[in-house]
Amino acid sequence: MTGDDPYRRARHLAELGRHADAEAELRAALAAEPGDADLLTLLGYVLRRHHDYQAALEACDAATAAGPRLADAHAERAECLMALLRDRDAIVAAGEAVRLAPYAPAGHLVLARALASAGRYDEARAAARHGLSLAPQSVDALLTVAGVERGAGRREEAERAARQALAIDPAAAYGRWLLAMLDAERLRVGRSMRALHDVARDDPARPDVISMTWPVRSLLSALRRWFAAAVLLVAAAGVAATWWRPAAEASRLLAALFAAVVAGFALRVLIPAGRLPWRCLRLVPSRLRRATLGGTATVAVMLVLLGAYAMTGLRSFPVLALAAVPVLWTFGAVERAGTRPDGHR
């Protein structure tokens, strides 16, 4: 291929983030060469970066049909399958890429991401480390290792690999995002939000607004795990007070304690985050936004009910708070359904 051929022009446009122009270039070229597997693979990549995952998969299916021995086509098909949450199929496709090009690091890295997406972290770490051994100075390999280690809960190893990648390419957006999310998991709220804001500022065409809402969504996720048990304990103590009077005072004290702990934790997370998560929440998909706001409102109501019970002793308050728990869980299920794997790759 020459330096001015459609593939190179489209690749350059895609690297600049001009996905619509790259797609137009590719479709024009494919009108003349509809069976070009390289063009079809690149079209799948461009469409995936544009979040049109089903169309991207169709392009990759056509690419693997046109060039069944093209490892890149199978690797890109695996990426599309991961985006569609078809992890098992993604592992098969990535495995085919590795079989066709066993000494190319790209296939091993895609396989590592597919295995990690399926929760098979030991295998994912082995695949990622093997890919890195084939390209020790590869930023993509180091960041794949970092992403897999983070998913496996090995934060120190993830941070080490991400920093090694950033030492090679300080502008690598995914590496900076990974460090920001590692800070988030350690509740370094202000630093995490500043880093995410900087990543978005440097790539305004693709701001990761979902990640920047993490303080609100992580708070709700934590509360869904234990707040229900706390409310149940208060309600049970309130019921026990009908035949054992000392339980009444204990249940009111528990209600006050739990309400104070939740309020304090919320302030600990939300105050350093500032207004940015709430501003970004307006930009996320509507289902995710409604679920997050609904969950926030439900928690607020539950806190008010616990506080009211602590002050008045009326047993209907903890019962109403307990009745709100399924509502909170429902909003959580809707929120999880409204998010996709991160689009940094």
PDB file of all heavy atoms in Angstrom, residues 93-132:
ATOM      1  N   ALA A  93     -12.562 -15.811  19.802  1.00  0.00           N
ATOM      2  CA  ALA A  93     -12.019 -14.997  18.714  1.00  0.00           C
ATOM      3  C   ALA A  93     -10.584 -14.576  19.005  1.00  0.00           C
ATOM      4  O   ALA A  93      -9.716 -14.615  18.124  1.00  0.00           O
ATOM      5  CB  ALA A  93     -12.898 -13.767  18.496  1.00  0.00           C
ATOM      6  N   ALA A  94     -10.308 -14.164  20.243  1.00  0.00           N
ATOM      7  CA  ALA A  94      -8.945 -13.773  20.606  1.00  0.00           C
ATOM      8  C   ALA A  94      -8.002 -14.965  20.538  1.00  0.00           C
ATOM      9  O   ALA A  94      -6.844 -14.825  20.118  1.00  0.00           O
ATOM     10  CB  ALA A  94      -8.937 -13.163  22.007  1.00  0.00           C
ATOM     11  N   GLY A  95      -8.477 -16.139  20.934  1.00  0.00           N
ATOM     12  CA  GLY A  95      -7.655 -17.343  20.846  1.00  0.00           C
ATOM     13  C   GLY A  95      -7.286 -17.661  19.406  1.00  0.00           C
ATOM     14  O   GLY A  95      -6.164 -18.116  19.134  1.00  0.00           O
ATOM     15  N   GLU A  96      -8.198 -17.395  18.481  1.00  0.00           N
ATOM     16  CA  GLU A  96      -7.895 -17.605  17.064  1.00  0.00           C
ATOM     17  C   GLU A  96      -6.833 -16.626  16.582  1.00  0.00           C
ATOM     18  O   GLU A  96      -5.939 -16.990  15.804  1.00  0.00           O
ATOM     19  CB  GLU A  96      -9.174 -17.459  16.236  1.00  0.00           C
ATOM     20  CG  GLU A  96      -9.013 -17.724  14.745  1.00  0.00           C
ATOM     21  CD  GLU A  96      -8.639 -19.160  14.419  1.00  0.00           C
ATOM     22  OE1 GLU A  96      -8.647 -20.022  15.334  1.00  0.00           O
ATOM     23  OE2 GLU A  96      -8.338 -19.427  13.247  1.00  0.00           O
ATOM     24  N   ALA A  97      -6.896 -15.386  17.056  1.00  0.00           N
ATOM     25  CA  ALA A  97      -5.863 -14.409  16.704  1.00  0.00           C
ATOM     26  C   ALA A  97      -4.498 -14.866  17.202  1.00  0.00           C
ATOM     27  O   ALA A  97      -3.488 -14.735  16.498  1.00  0.00           O
ATOM     28  CB  ALA A  97      -6.217 -13.044  17.289  1.00  0.00           C
ATOM     29  N   VAL A  98      -4.443 -15.414  18.419  1.00  0.00           N
ATOM     30  CA  VAL A  98      -3.177 -15.917  18.964  1.00  0.00           C
ATOM     31  C   VAL A  98      -2.690 -17.110  18.154  1.00  0.00           C
ATOM     32  O   VAL A  98      -1.485 -17.234  17.853  1.00  0.00           O
ATOM     33  CB  VAL A  98      -3.352 -16.291  20.445  1.00  0.00           C
ATOM     34  CG1 VAL A  98      -2.140 -17.054  20.955  1.00  0.00           C
ATOM     35  CG2 VAL A  98      -3.593 -15.042  21.286  1.00  0.00           C
ATOM     36  N   ARG A  99      -3.599 -17.991  17.766  1.00  0.00           N
ATOM     37  CA  ARG A  99      -3.199 -19.176  16.988  1.00  0.00           C
ATOM     38  C   ARG A  99      -2.592 -18.775  15.649  1.00  0.00           C
ATOM     39  O   ARG A  99      -1.601 -19.360  15.202  1.00  0.00           O
ATOM     40  CB  ARG A  99      -4.417 -20.075  16.766  1.00  0.00           C
ATOM     41  CG  ARG A  99      -4.088 -21.415  16.098  1.00  0.00           C
ATOM     42  CD  ARG A  99      -5.345 -22.184  15.759  1.00  0.00           C
ATOM     43  NE  ARG A  99      -6.078 -21.559  14.667  1.00  0.00           N
ATOM     44  CZ  ARG A  99      -5.774 -21.715  13.376  1.00  0.00           C
ATOM     45  NH1 ARG A  99      -4.741 -22.457  13.012  1.00  0.00           N
ATOM     46  NH2 ARG A  99      -6.511 -21.143  12.443  1.00  0.00           N
ATOM     47  N   LEU A 100      -3.178 -17.765  15.016  1.00  0.00           N
ATOM     48  CA  LEU A 100      -2.709 -17.347  13.693  1.00  0.00           C
ATOM     49  C   LEU A 100      -1.403 -16.562  13.763  1.00  0.00           C
ATOM     50  O   LEU A 100      -0.610 -16.593  12.813  1.00  0.00           O
ATOM     51  CB  LEU A 100      -3.787 -16.504  13.009  1.00  0.00           C
ATOM     52  CG  LEU A 100      -5.053 -17.258  12.601  1.00  0.00           C
ATOM     53  CD1 LEU A 100      -6.153 -16.278  12.196  1.00  0.00           C
ATOM     54  CD2 LEU A 100      -4.748 -18.221  11.454  1.00  0.00           C
ATOM     55  N   ALA A 101      -1.185 -15.840  14.866  1.00  0.00           N
ATOM     56  CA  ALA A 101       0.030 -15.027  14.997  1.00  0.00           C
ATOM     57  C   ALA A 101       0.567 -15.169  16.413  1.00  0.00           C
ATOM     58  O   ALA A 101       0.464 -14.237  17.226  1.00  0.00           O
ATOM     59  CB  ALA A 101      -0.266 -13.569  14.651  1.00  0.00           C
ATOM     60  N   PRO A 102       1.148 -16.314  16.739  1.00  0.00           N
ATOM     61  CA  PRO A 102       1.547 -16.583  18.137  1.00  0.00           C
ATOM     62  C   PRO A 102       2.660 -15.672  18.653  1.00  0.00           C
ATOM     63  O   PRO A 102       2.809 -15.544  19.872  1.00  0.00           O
ATOM     64  CB  PRO A 102       2.003 -18.046  18.099  1.00  0.00           C
ATOM     65  CG  PRO A 102       2.346 -18.305  16.667  1.00  0.00           C
ATOM     66  CD  PRO A 102       1.415 -17.464  15.865  1.00  0.00           C
ATOM     67  N   TYR A 103       3.420 -15.060  17.756  1.00  0.00           N
ATOM     68  CA  TYR A 103       4.523 -14.206  18.205  1.00  0.00           C
ATOM     69  C   TYR A 103       4.179 -12.723  18.119  1.00  0.00           C
ATOM     70  O   TYR A 103       5.042 -11.879  18.367  1.00  0.00           O
ATOM     71  CB  TYR A 103       5.780 -14.511  17.388  1.00  0.00           C
ATOM     72  CG  TYR A 103       6.232 -15.939  17.535  1.00  0.00           C
ATOM     73  CD1 TYR A 103       6.088 -16.841  16.485  1.00  0.00           C
ATOM     74  CD2 TYR A 103       6.760 -16.399  18.742  1.00  0.00           C
ATOM     75  CE1 TYR A 103       6.468 -18.177  16.635  1.00  0.00           C
ATOM     76  CE2 TYR A 103       7.147 -17.728  18.898  1.00  0.00           C
ATOM     77  CZ  TYR A 103       6.995 -18.606  17.834  1.00  0.00           C
ATOM     78  OH  TYR A 103       7.368 -19.920  17.988  1.00  0.00           O
ATOM     79  N   ALA A 104       2.939 -12.420  17.781  1.00  0.00           N
ATOM     80  CA  ALA A 104       2.481 -11.025  17.771  1.00  0.00           C
ATOM     81  C   ALA A 104       1.869 -10.713  19.131  1.00  0.00           C
ATOM     82  O   ALA A 104       0.968 -11.428  19.590  1.00  0.00           O
ATOM     83  CB  ALA A 104       1.460 -10.802  16.669  1.00  0.00           C
ATOM     84  N   PRO A 105       2.332  -9.673  19.813  1.00  0.00           N
ATOM     85  CA  PRO A 105       1.802  -9.392  21.158  1.00  0.00           C
ATOM     86  C   PRO A 105       0.329  -9.012  21.163  1.00  0.00           C
ATOM     87  O   PRO A 105      -0.366  -9.280  22.137  1.00  0.00           O
ATOM     88  CB  PRO A 105       2.678  -8.232  21.640  1.00  0.00           C
ATOM     89  CG  PRO A 105       3.266  -7.637  20.416  1.00  0.00           C
ATOM     90  CD  PRO A 105       3.407  -8.744  19.422  1.00  0.00           C
ATOM     91  N   ALA A 106      -0.162  -8.404  20.077  1.00  0.00           N
ATOM     92  CA  ALA A 106      -1.535  -7.876  20.079  1.00  0.00           C
ATOM     93  C   ALA A 106      -2.567  -8.946  20.408  1.00  0.00           C
ATOM     94  O   ALA A 106      -3.489  -8.705  21.198  1.00  0.00           O
ATOM     95  CB  ALA A 106      -1.852  -7.226  18.731  1.00  0.00           C
ATOM     96  N   GLY A 107      -2.431 -10.128  19.817  1.00  0.00           N
ATOM     97  CA  GLY A 107      -3.409 -11.181  20.068  1.00  0.00           C
ATOM     98  C   GLY A 107      -3.428 -11.615  21.521  1.00  0.00           C
ATOM     99  O   GLY A 107      -4.495 -11.836  22.114  1.00  0.00           O
ATOM    100  N   HIS A 108      -2.264 -11.741  22.137  1.00  0.00           N
ATOM    101  CA  HIS A 108      -2.190 -12.132  23.541  1.00  0.00           C
ATOM    102  C   HIS A 108      -2.810 -11.057  24.444  1.00  0.00           C
ATOM    103  O   HIS A 108      -3.455 -11.383  25.452  1.00  0.00           O
ATOM    104  CB  HIS A 108      -0.733 -12.360  23.933  1.00  0.00           C
ATOM    105  CG  HIS A 108      -0.092 -13.500  23.219  1.00  0.00           C
ATOM    106  ND1 HIS A 108      -0.264 -14.817  23.595  1.00  0.00           N
ATOM    107  CD2 HIS A 108       0.709 -13.526  22.115  1.00  0.00           C
ATOM    108  CE1 HIS A 108       0.418 -15.604  22.788  1.00  0.00           C
ATOM    109  NE2 HIS A 108       1.010 -14.851  21.877  1.00  0.00           N
ATOM    110  N   LEU A 109      -2.644  -9.796  24.073  1.00  0.00           N
ATOM    111  CA  LEU A 109      -3.206  -8.713  24.883  1.00  0.00           C
ATOM    112  C   LEU A 109      -4.727  -8.690  24.784  1.00  0.00           C
ATOM    113  O   LEU A 109      -5.420  -8.483  25.787  1.00  0.00           O
ATOM    114  CB  LEU A 109      -2.617  -7.377  24.445  1.00  0.00           C
ATOM    115  CG  LEU A 109      -1.089  -7.264  24.554  1.00  0.00           C
ATOM    116  CD1 LEU A 109      -0.617  -5.905  24.077  1.00  0.00           C
ATOM    117  CD2 LEU A 109      -0.624  -7.535  25.979  1.00  0.00           C
ATOM    118  N   VAL A 110      -5.252  -8.899  23.580  1.00  0.00           N
ATOM    119  CA  VAL A 110      -6.707  -8.966  23.427  1.00  0.00           C
ATOM    120  C   VAL A 110      -7.253 -10.167  24.198  1.00  0.00           C
ATOM    121  O   VAL A 110      -8.295 -10.073  24.869  1.00  0.00           O
ATOM    122  CB  VAL A 110      -7.102  -9.051  21.939  1.00  0.00           C
ATOM    123  CG1 VAL A 110      -8.610  -9.239  21.796  1.00  0.00           C
ATOM    124  CG2 VAL A 110      -6.673  -7.796  21.202  1.00  0.00           C
ATOM    125  N   LEU A 111      -6.568 -11.291  24.109  1.00  0.00           N
ATOM    126  CA  LEU A 111      -6.999 -12.478  24.857  1.00  0.00           C
ATOM    127  C   LEU A 111      -6.997 -12.192  26.356  1.00  0.00           C
ATOM    128  O   LEU A 111      -7.924 -12.595  27.077  1.00  0.00           O
ATOM    129  CB  LEU A 111      -6.081 -13.651  24.535  1.00  0.00           C
ATOM    130  CG  LEU A 111      -6.368 -14.955  25.294  1.00  0.00           C
ATOM    131  CD1 LEU A 111      -7.782 -15.453  25.012  1.00  0.00           C
ATOM    132  CD2 LEU A 111      -5.338 -16.029  24.931  1.00  0.00           C
ATOM    133  N   ALA A 112      -5.984 -11.482  26.839  1.00  0.00           N
ATOM    134  CA  ALA A 112      -5.932 -11.136  28.264  1.00  0.00           C
ATOM    135  C   ALA A 112      -7.135 -10.291  28.661  1.00  0.00           C
ATOM    136  O   ALA A 112      -7.757 -10.527  29.710  1.00  0.00           O
ATOM    137  CB  ALA A 112      -4.640 -10.377  28.567  1.00  0.00           C
ATOM    138  N   ARG A 113      -7.479  -9.318  27.837  1.00  0.00           N
ATOM    139  CA  ARG A 113      -8.627  -8.459  28.160  1.00  0.00           C
ATOM    140  C   ARG A 113      -9.932  -9.252  28.124  1.00  0.00           C
ATOM    141  O   ARG A 113     -10.833  -9.034  28.956  1.00  0.00           O
ATOM    142  CB  ARG A 113      -8.672  -7.270  27.201  1.00  0.00           C
ATOM    143  CG  ARG A 113      -7.509  -6.310  27.384  1.00  0.00           C
ATOM    144  CD  ARG A 113      -7.733  -5.007  26.669  1.00  0.00           C
ATOM    145  NE  ARG A 113      -7.595  -5.094  25.225  1.00  0.00           N
ATOM    146  CZ  ARG A 113      -6.454  -4.921  24.557  1.00  0.00           C
ATOM    147  NH1 ARG A 113      -5.333  -4.684  25.221  1.00  0.00           N
ATOM    148  NH2 ARG A 113      -6.426  -4.980  23.242  1.00  0.00           N
ATOM    149  N   ALA A 114     -10.047 -10.177  27.173  1.00  0.00           N
ATOM    150  CA  ALA A 114     -11.265 -10.994  27.087  1.00  0.00           C
ATOM    151  C   ALA A 114     -11.390 -11.905  28.303  1.00  0.00           C
ATOM    152  O   ALA A 114     -12.474 -12.054  28.886  1.00  0.00           O
ATOM    153  CB  ALA A 114     -11.251 -11.813  25.798  1.00  0.00           C
ATOM    154  N   LEU A 115     -10.289 -12.517  28.703  1.00  0.00           N
ATOM    155  CA  LEU A 115     -10.312 -13.388  29.886  1.00  0.00           C
ATOM    156  C   LEU A 115     -10.630 -12.587  31.139  1.00  0.00           C
ATOM    157  O   LEU A 115     -11.397 -13.025  32.000  1.00  0.00           O
ATOM    158  CB  LEU A 115      -8.961 -14.088  30.034  1.00  0.00           C
ATOM    159  CG  LEU A 115      -8.656 -15.179  28.995  1.00  0.00           C
ATOM    160  CD1 LEU A 115      -7.175 -15.537  29.023  1.00  0.00           C
ATOM    161  CD2 LEU A 115      -9.511 -16.424  29.256  1.00  0.00           C
ATOM    162  N   ALA A 116     -10.050 -11.385  31.251  1.00  0.00           N
ATOM    163  CA  ALA A 116     -10.341 -10.540  32.408  1.00  0.00           C
ATOM    164  C   ALA A 116     -11.802 -10.126  32.423  1.00  0.00           C
ATOM    165  O   ALA A 116     -12.442 -10.074  33.480  1.00  0.00           O
ATOM    166  CB  ALA A 116      -9.443  -9.303  32.400  1.00  0.00           C
ATOM    167  N   SER A 117     -12.350  -9.832  31.247  1.00  0.00           N
ATOM    168  CA  SER A 117     -13.753  -9.448  31.165  1.00  0.00           C
ATOM    169  C   SER A 117     -14.666 -10.573  31.636  1.00  0.00           C
ATOM    170  O   SER A 117     -15.740 -10.332  32.191  1.00  0.00           O
ATOM    171  CB  SER A 117     -14.096  -9.063  29.718  1.00  0.00           C
ATOM    172  OG  SER A 117     -15.409  -8.562  29.616  1.00  0.00           O
ATOM    173  N   ALA A 118     -14.211 -11.819  31.435  1.00  0.00           N
ATOM    174  CA  ALA A 118     -14.977 -12.987  31.890  1.00  0.00           C
ATOM    175  C   ALA A 118     -14.666 -13.354  33.327  1.00  0.00           C
ATOM    176  O   ALA A 118     -15.202 -14.338  33.850  1.00  0.00           O
ATOM    177  CB  ALA A 118     -14.693 -14.174  30.976  1.00  0.00           C
ATOM    178  N   GLY A 119     -13.765 -12.589  33.997  1.00  0.00           N
ATOM    179  CA  GLY A 119     -13.432 -12.868  35.386  1.00  0.00           C
ATOM    180  C   GLY A 119     -12.402 -13.963  35.572  1.00  0.00           C
ATOM    181  O   GLY A 119     -12.164 -14.410  36.704  1.00  0.00           O
ATOM    182  N   ARG A 120     -11.740 -14.377  34.499  1.00  0.00           N
ATOM    183  CA  ARG A 120     -10.727 -15.436  34.579  1.00  0.00           C
ATOM    184  C   ARG A 120      -9.349 -14.768  34.721  1.00  0.00           C
ATOM    185  O   ARG A 120      -8.549 -14.737  33.799  1.00  0.00           O
ATOM    186  CB  ARG A 120     -10.823 -16.333  33.342  1.00  0.00           C
ATOM    187  CG  ARG A 120     -12.126 -17.114  33.301  1.00  0.00           C
ATOM    188  CD  ARG A 120     -12.467 -17.677  31.934  1.00  0.00           C
ATOM    189  NE  ARG A 120     -11.441 -18.568  31.408  1.00  0.00           N
ATOM    190  CZ  ARG A 120     -11.554 -19.224  30.246  1.00  0.00           C
ATOM    191  NH1 ARG A 120     -12.682 -19.099  29.531  1.00  0.00           N
ATOM    192  NH2 ARG A 120     -10.580 -19.998  29.815  1.00  0.00           N
ATOM    193  N   TYR A 121      -9.105 -14.231  35.909  1.00  0.00           N
ATOM    194  CA  TYR A 121      -7.967 -13.328  36.085  1.00  0.00           C
ATOM    195  C   TYR A 121      -6.615 -14.027  36.070  1.00  0.00           C
ATOM    196  O   TYR A 121      -5.629 -13.446  35.594  1.00  0.00           O
ATOM    197  CB  TYR A 121      -8.147 -12.517  37.375  1.00  0.00           C
ATOM    198  CG  TYR A 121      -9.244 -11.504  37.257  1.00  0.00           C
ATOM    199  CD1 TYR A 121     -10.434 -11.647  37.967  1.00  0.00           C
ATOM    200  CD2 TYR A 121      -9.111 -10.407  36.423  1.00  0.00           C
ATOM    201  CE1 TYR A 121     -11.453 -10.717  37.849  1.00  0.00           C
ATOM    202  CE2 TYR A 121     -10.120  -9.477  36.295  1.00  0.00           C
ATOM    203  CZ  TYR A 121     -11.291  -9.636  37.016  1.00  0.00           C
ATOM    204  OH  TYR A 121     -12.303  -8.724  36.881  1.00  0.00           O
ATOM    205  N   ASP A 122      -6.513 -15.233  36.579  1.00  0.00           N
ATOM    206  CA  ASP A 122      -5.222 -15.920  36.547  1.00  0.00           C
ATOM    207  C   ASP A 122      -4.769 -16.151  35.106  1.00  0.00           C
ATOM    208  O   ASP A 122      -3.605 -15.897  34.754  1.00  0.00           O
ATOM    209  CB  ASP A 122      -5.311 -17.248  37.294  1.00  0.00           C
ATOM    210  CG  ASP A 122      -5.412 -17.066  38.802  1.00  0.00           C
ATOM    211  OD1 ASP A 122      -5.062 -15.962  39.275  1.00  0.00           O
ATOM    212  OD2 ASP A 122      -5.842 -18.009  39.489  1.00  0.00           O
ATOM    213  N   GLU A 123      -5.695 -16.624  34.260  1.00  0.00           N
ATOM    214  CA  GLU A 123      -5.362 -16.825  32.848  1.00  0.00           C
ATOM    215  C   GLU A 123      -5.100 -15.489  32.158  1.00  0.00           C
ATOM    216  O   GLU A 123      -4.210 -15.378  31.304  1.00  0.00           O
ATOM    217  CB  GLU A 123      -6.500 -17.559  32.148  1.00  0.00           C
ATOM    218  CG  GLU A 123      -6.763 -18.961  32.654  1.00  0.00           C
ATOM    219  CD  GLU A 123      -8.078 -19.507  32.130  1.00  0.00           C
ATOM    220  OE1 GLU A 123      -8.071 -20.041  31.007  1.00  0.00           O
ATOM    221  OE2 GLU A 123      -9.097 -19.386  32.834  1.00  0.00           O
ATOM    222  N   ALA A 124      -5.871 -14.479  32.533  1.00  0.00           N
ATOM    223  CA  ALA A 124      -5.709 -13.158  31.921  1.00  0.00           C
ATOM    224  C   ALA A 124      -4.333 -12.584  32.246  1.00  0.00           C
ATOM    225  O   ALA A 124      -3.663 -12.006  31.386  1.00  0.00           O
ATOM    226  CB  ALA A 124      -6.803 -12.217  32.407  1.00  0.00           C
ATOM    227  N   ARG A 125      -3.903 -12.741  33.496  1.00  0.00           N
ATOM    228  CA  ARG A 125      -2.596 -12.218  33.889  1.00  0.00           C
ATOM    229  C   ARG A 125      -1.485 -12.933  33.128  1.00  0.00           C
ATOM    230  O   ARG A 125      -0.511 -12.308  32.690  1.00  0.00           O
ATOM    231  CB  ARG A 125      -2.401 -12.358  35.395  1.00  0.00           C
ATOM    232  CG  ARG A 125      -3.342 -11.464  36.212  1.00  0.00           C
ATOM    233  CD  ARG A 125      -3.214 -11.693  37.708  1.00  0.00           C
ATOM    234  NE  ARG A 125      -1.886 -11.348  38.169  1.00  0.00           N
ATOM    235  CZ  ARG A 125      -1.126 -12.139  38.909  1.00  0.00           C
ATOM    236  NH1 ARG A 125      -1.574 -13.332  39.266  1.00  0.00           N
ATOM    237  NH2 ARG A 125       0.058 -11.750  39.292  1.00  0.00           N
ATOM    238  N   ALA A 126      -1.626 -14.244  32.947  1.00  0.00           N
ATOM    239  CA  ALA A 126      -0.607 -14.993  32.202  1.00  0.00           C
ATOM    240  C   ALA A 126      -0.544 -14.523  30.752  1.00  0.00           C
ATOM    241  O   ALA A 126       0.548 -14.335  30.194  1.00  0.00           O
ATOM    242  CB  ALA A 126      -0.912 -16.488  32.272  1.00  0.00           C
ATOM    243  N   ALA A 127      -1.709 -14.328  30.127  1.00  0.00           N
ATOM    244  CA  ALA A 127      -1.736 -13.868  28.735  1.00  0.00           C
ATOM    245  C   ALA A 127      -1.161 -12.466  28.609  1.00  0.00           C
ATOM    246  O   ALA A 127      -0.407 -12.167  27.673  1.00  0.00           O
ATOM    247  CB  ALA A 127      -3.170 -13.908  28.204  1.00  0.00           C
ATOM    248  N   ALA A 128      -1.508 -11.591  29.550  1.00  0.00           N
ATOM    249  CA  ALA A 128      -1.000 -10.220  29.501  1.00  0.00           C
ATOM    250  C   ALA A 128       0.507 -10.187  29.693  1.00  0.00           C
ATOM    251  O   ALA A 128       1.223  -9.458  28.984  1.00  0.00           O
ATOM    252  CB  ALA A 128      -1.690  -9.370  30.564  1.00  0.00           C
ATOM    253  N   ARG A 129       1.009 -10.961  30.644  1.00  0.00           N
ATOM    254  CA  ARG A 129       2.458 -11.001  30.890  1.00  0.00           C
ATOM    255  C   ARG A 129       3.190 -11.586  29.681  1.00  0.00           C
ATOM    256  O   ARG A 129       4.305 -11.155  29.351  1.00  0.00           O
ATOM    257  CB  ARG A 129       2.752 -11.814  32.143  1.00  0.00           C
ATOM    258  CG  ARG A 129       2.262 -11.187  33.430  1.00  0.00           C
ATOM    259  CD  ARG A 129       3.076  -9.964  33.805  1.00  0.00           C
ATOM    260  NE  ARG A 129       2.558  -9.302  34.997  1.00  0.00           N
ATOM    261  CZ  ARG A 129       3.064  -8.179  35.498  1.00  0.00           C
ATOM    262  NH1 ARG A 129       4.095  -7.597  34.912  1.00  0.00           N
ATOM    263  NH2 ARG A 129       2.534  -7.632  36.580  1.00  0.00           N
ATOM    264  N   HIS A 130       2.577 -12.560  29.019  1.00  0.00           N
ATOM    265  CA  HIS A 130       3.215 -13.127  27.823  1.00  0.00           C
ATOM    266  C   HIS A 130       3.264 -12.082  26.709  1.00  0.00           C
ATOM    267  O   HIS A 130       4.288 -11.944  26.029  1.00  0.00           O
ATOM    268  CB  HIS A 130       2.466 -14.369  27.346  1.00  0.00           C
ATOM    269  CG  HIS A 130       3.145 -15.069  26.211  1.00  0.00           C
ATOM    270  ND1 HIS A 130       4.367 -15.688  26.342  1.00  0.00           N
ATOM    271  CD2 HIS A 130       2.790 -15.228  24.910  1.00  0.00           C
ATOM    272  CE1 HIS A 130       4.733 -16.213  25.188  1.00  0.00           C
ATOM    273  NE2 HIS A 130       3.782 -15.939  24.293  1.00  0.00           N
ATOM    274  N   GLY A 131       2.177 -11.344  26.530  1.00  0.00           N
ATOM    275  CA  GLY A 131       2.173 -10.284  25.544  1.00  0.00           C
ATOM    276  C   GLY A 131       3.232  -9.242  25.847  1.00  0.00           C
ATOM    277  O   GLY A 131       3.917  -8.742  24.937  1.00  0.00           O
ATOM    278  N   LEU A 132       3.387  -8.901  27.127  1.00  0.00           N
ATOM    279  CA  LEU A 132       4.402  -7.925  27.528  1.00  0.00           C
ATOM    280  C   LEU A 132       5.805  -8.468  27.269  1.00  0.00           C
ATOM    281  O   LEU A 132       6.711  -7.711  26.871  1.00  0.00           O
ATOM    282  CB  LEU A 132       4.232  -7.573  29.005  1.00  0.00           C
ATOM    283  CG  LEU A 132       5.228  -6.574  29.588  1.00  0.00           C
ATOM    284  CD1 LEU A 132       5.145  -5.235  28.869  1.00  0.00           C
ATOM    285  CD2 LEU A 132       4.978  -6.386  31.090  1.00  0.00           C
TER     286      LEU A 132
END
